[in-house]
Amino acid sequence: MTAAAARTAVVTGASSGIGAATARQLAAAGYHVVLTARRKDRVEALAAELTDAGQSATAYALDVTDRPAVDAFAASLDRCDVLVNNAGGALGADPVATGDPADWRTMYEVNVIGTLNTTQALLPALIESGDGTVVILSSTAGHATYEGGAGYVAAKNGARVLAETLRLEILGRPVRVIEIAPGMVKTDEFATTRFRGDTEKAAKVYAGVAEPLTADDVADTITWAVTRPSHVNIDLLVVRPRAQASNAKVHREL
């Protein structure tokens, strides 16, 4: 049995995209993976896929913005060694002058408060493990702003600062805090959700970009960071496709 085989990794937002890809890769690395997301059918199907492949996984329907539900989830676990805070997302691309406060509030609740909820609820177990890891999926949006993205940028800045502050506050405890900040990632749902099902607008985000990142690319960086030796903390890992130099500068072959 490998060191990872007896360890439990919780992945939020595991029903699709980066979360699902991360769950697959951590399971392949030998972790018992607990898949959480609001869409029960999706995480149950993924858990079945992993167990059918001889790996270890369980599914748990969870809305990370529901604190009582998060606390009940945490209480149901025998242990937690790794927490991957992946649940998040963007809504809209309106300028500050006309942005919908409801969209801003929703993004903040999921990206920041959701991450706070799961981290607070599972931190005691992570400390008790003697070798815990908290991963926070921020974004390059949390490090540099761009027009039409202020609501998402603000939320991901919140996630970034949460990671930085937590690392300072738990120094000396046996828990690492890792921030992964992806740039342009093409998944089945991110841009479509952002534009409320408008597939034409969603496609324009990636138009002419030969190879945006995939969910597997990001999951690979997460798994690599988590599986470093215990004394190695990857404070911040920014990952972009070669075609993207910044949030606003992208090479497109149109």
Side-chain angles (χ1 to χ4, degrees), residues 53-80:
Q55 295 161 356
S56 182
T58 55
Y60 195 105
L62 182 66
D63 179 349
V64 295
T65 67
D66 182 341
R67 184 55 185 262
V70 171
D71 288 339
F73 165 68
S76 75
L77 297 177
D78 293 330
R79 65 180 296 159
C80 181

Side-chain angles (χ1 to χ4, degrees), residues 63-146:
D63 179 349
V64 295
T65 67
D66 182 341
R67 184 55 185 262
V70 171
D71 288 339
F73 165 68
S76 75
L77 297 177
D78 293 330
R79 65 180 296 159
C80 181
D81 303 273
V82 176
L83 168 61
V84 180
N85 284 297
N86 166 73
L91 284 175
D94 300 313
V96 171
T98 57
D100 186 343
D103 286 347
W104 284 53
R105 188 173 294 110
T106 297
M107 286 186 280
Y108 191 86
E109 284 288 335
V110 177
N111 290 283
V112 183
I113 302 302
T115 297
L116 178 67
N117 285 340
T118 53
T119 301
Q120 285 183 337
L122 291 171
L123 190 56
L126 289 160
I127 293 172
E128 185 180 349
S129 76
D131 185 17
T133 301
V134 176
V135 178
I136 293 178
L137 263 290
S138 63
S139 167
T140 55
H143 294 264
T145 192
Y146 58 95

Side-chain angles (χ1 to χ4, degrees), residues 131-194:
D131 185 17
T133 301
V134 176
V135 178
I136 293 178
L137 263 290
S138 63
S139 167
T140 55
H143 294 264
T145 192
Y146 58 95
E147 294 169 293
Y152 183 59
V153 167
K156 285 304 187 183
N157 261 282
R160 174 182 64 83
V161 171
L162 193 161
E164 290 182 354
T165 308
L166 178 63
R167 191 179 302 114
L168 295 173
E169 292 173 344
I170 64 171
L171 181 65
R173 301 291 184 92
V175 178
R176 301 179 295 180
V177 180
I178 296 168
E179 179 191 351
I180 306 292
M184 180 183 284
V185 185
K186 186 176 183 180
T187 64
D188 291 338
E189 296 186 342
F190 180 83
T192 303
T193 298
R194 182 171 202 167

